[in-house]
Amino acid sequence: MNLVFLGPPGAGKGTIAAKAKDALNIVHISTGDLFRSNIKNETELGKVVKEILAKGDLVPDEVTVNMVKARLEEDDLKEKAGYILDGFPRTVAQADALETFSKLDAVINFVLSEEEILKRLSGRRVCKSTGRTYHIIYNPPKVEGRDDETGEELIQRDDDKEEAILNRLQVYQKSTAPLIEYYRQKGLLVDIDASKSPDEVLQSLLKVLK
Ligand code: AMP
């Protein structure tokens, strides 16, 4: 089953994808995580995208599409029953490109108010090495400021700081929100209420996929 998780930053796409991938035996591909790992490893791609991510702007379509296409050709995809694309496509041009090399079964639209998005993003903390995410109020770590498994210090992503958050929301409205109608017209869109707890959102996702 090939899925796209669509929705504003902070809607919980990554959190739900990390849970749903096991339940559905599919691969979770987050373009944001792929970019962040390139930045961390100081690859050529990482150098190109570092500033773009820090500001909350979009990486150019061609760069992003090539990265996703290459990722979908990796071996683990052959062993699994499909994929979740989390954070891709984010523009109509990316969606058009995706159609030329893969076929989707459904697009899950995570619906959440702007007020809730701001609350979630400003409280988000991550562990740099494991990528695990927390929220200072909704999903706190066992020990304040430390990753549950490795004990490493949690950080706030550069793009979770206020200025970048506001920019990301504007970018979402302008470039990504049009994909809601794009996929609705293709009969692929499924709306999901993302304001509930992660387990409740997961359960409603699994239910609609049946
Ligand atoms: P995310 O972790 O999904 O919030 O993505 C973090 C950042 O990575 C975004 O703010 C963009 O700078 C970049 N990014 C992720 N996915 C895409 C995409 N599909 N197109 C362009 N830029 C992207």
Side-chain angles (χ1 to χ4, degrees), residues 108-135:
I108 312 300
N109 181 32
F110 285 65
V111 181
L112 194 69
S113 72
E114 190 151 312
E115 194 189 341
E116 186 64 22
I117 292 167
L118 285 172
K119 265 198 243 162
R120 287 196 187 177
L121 288 176
S122 54
R124 179 157 72 179
R125 298 292 181 272
V126 297
C127 172
K128 219 173 171 180
S129 66
T130 64
R132 208 172 289 116
T133 59
Y134 301 86
H135 189 281

Side-chain angles (χ1 to χ4, degrees), residues 12-186:
K13 302 185 296 293
T15 305
I16 303 303
K19 292 171 178 282
K21 74 174 192 332
D22 294 329
L24 298 168
N25 188 35
I26 58 183
V27 180
H28 171 202
I29 300 170
S30 153
T31 41
D33 283 350
L34 290 175
F35 287 132
R36 280 184 289 276
S37 112
N38 274 278
I39 292 171
K40 191 172 148 214
N41 296 325
E42 298 181 350
T43 67
E44 283 310 307
L45 174 63
K47 286 176 200 155
V48 173
V49 303
K50 189 170 180 194
E51 288 304 308
I52 301 176
L53 262 83
K55 280 194 232 147
D57 288 333
L58 290 185
V59 174
D61 287 333
E62 200 189 336
V63 176
T64 309
V65 167
N66 287 339
M67 180 178 77
V68 171
K69 194 162 183 242
R71 179 66 188 86
L72 289 180
E73 284 162 7
E74 282 179 31
D75 285 344
D76 58 340
L77 266 293
K78 297 187 188 103
E79 292 151 20
K80 298 276 179 171
Y83 59 72
I84 297 168
L85 283 176
D86 157 17
F88 180 92
R90 258 175 158 100
T91 65
V92 169
Q94 291 179 10
D96 285 340
L98 175 62
E99 219 172 51
T100 66
F101 56 82
S102 199
K103 192 171 175 324
L104 296 176
D105 296 298
V107 174
I108 312 300
N109 181 32
F110 285 65
V111 181
L112 194 69
S113 72
E114 190 151 312
E115 194 189 341
E116 186 64 22
I117 292 167
L118 285 172
K119 265 198 243 162
R120 287 196 187 177
L121 288 176
S122 54
R124 179 157 72 179
R125 298 292 181 272
V126 297
C127 172
K128 219 173 171 180
S129 66
T130 64
R132 208 172 289 116
T133 59
Y134 301 86
H135 189 281
I136 50 174
I137 297 161
Y138 305 132
N139 178 28
K142 291 181 187 132
V143 177
E144 195 184 324
R146 299 271 160 196
D147 184 67
D148 286 350
E149 269 175 38
T150 65
E152 282 167 90
E153 195 180 350
L154 303 179
I155 57 151
Q156 186 173 38
R157 276 167 48 174
D158 281 342
D159 61 350
D160 280 345
K161 301 197 172 135
E162 196 175 342
E163 207 181 296
I165 290 178
L166 295 175
N167 186 39
R168 285 163 71 205
L169 287 174
Q170 277 176 3
V171 169
Y172 171 78
Q173 282 307 337
K174 181 166 167 272
S175 304
T176 310
L179 288 177
I180 296 173
E181 269 320 299
Y182 176 101
Y183 282 124
R184 205 186 294 282
Q185 278 177 17
K186 290 182 188 283

